[in-house]
Amino acid sequence: LHDAGDNLALVPVSLSAMLHDAAHKMEKNFNGGICDIELHIAGKYGPIMAHPGGLSAALINLGQAFIEVQAQREQTKRPLIKLAAHRTRNGISAGLFSDIEGLNSDMFSRSKRIYGSSRQPLAQLSAHNGAGIFIADSLLETMSSGLRVAHHQKLTGLAATFNPSQQMALV
């Protein structure tokens, strides 16, 4: 599904369904009992404009990266990763959130700038190179605002804002 500009073709997509599927795939394929995975969707939304395969890949890459971060940390309580969505004045924001220490806007911006020229651009977070986060960011930039550091219910994470579909939804 590519258009002439070689960008991902955007179609109306159910964000709730995409988040649900991503949570299920994260639990089944990557988690291994490392953490709890929860879904929190604040309200009912119509479809957003996105590329289904690209959005799915972005969410799964983010989820795997978040699970890797949690697996490396010394934990006093069972870690939680929350997939969440809520309406903002600019559209519908969705992302992954956890109690990740050290994740802030400055660090994320610096990491994005040095990705590709540094072996560990997210060294503050992970012993891995964080490629999944940067792949997700690249995919999401073609269909949304791209990733940014955000907060949800006292958790920090990475989220993107999507445009709601202007097509009428069938009821």
Side-chain angles (χ1 to χ4, degrees):
L1 291 175
H2 290 298
D3 66 15
D6 202 30
N7 291 323
L8 296 175
L10 305 183
V11 297
V13 172
S14 168
L15 182 59
S16 300
M18 296 297 292
L19 289 170
H20 182 271
D21 288 348
H24 179 72
K25 287 177 184 173
M26 286 169 53
E27 185 68 46
K28 181 180 174 190
N29 298 329
F30 308 117
N31 192 14
I34 294 167
C35 55
D36 292 328
I37 296 173
E38 288 184 7
L39 187 60
H40 184 255
I41 299 174
K44 291 185 179 184
Y45 310 115
I48 59 162
M49 296 305 293
H51 181 274
L55 180 54
S56 177
L59 292 171
I60 296 301
N61 274 291
L62 273 178
Q64 186 175 11
F66 272 50
I67 290 169
E68 287 173 356
V69 168
Q70 293 299 349
Q72 295 172 27
R73 295 181 54 208
E74 289 289 324
Q75 304 289 343
T76 57
K77 62 180 182 174
R78 187 164 172 83
L80 169 68
I81 296 175
K82 190 174 283 197
L83 290 86
H86 67 276
R87 190 173 309 282
T88 70
R89 66 175 184 253
N90 298 323
I92 299 174
S93 180
L96 277 75
F97 303 88
S98 193
D99 62 344
I100 298 175
E101 296 175 18
L103 180 59
N104 61 55
S105 296
D106 290 338
M107 184 274 294
F108 188 61
S109 296
R110 256 190 323 274
S111 298
K112 284 173 64 169
R113 280 194 306 273
I114 65 171
Y115 180 69
S117 61
S118 172
R119 290 179 57 128
Q120 288 185 291
L122 288 170
Q124 304 92 320
L125 296 182
S126 174
H128 300 280
N129 68 0
I133 291 173
F134 298 110
I135 291 169
D137 184 47
S138 177
L139 287 166
L140 291 169
E141 281 182 355
T142 66
M143 64 183 102
S144 72
S145 62
L147 283 176
R148 71 184 186 299
V149 174
H151 301 281
H152 179 77
Q153 297 180 341
K154 299 182 182 179
L155 299 175
T156 302
L158 296 170
T161 301
F162 298 89
N163 291 322
S165 171
Q166 298 304 312
Q167 294 181 3
M168 290 180 55
L170 297 176
V171 180

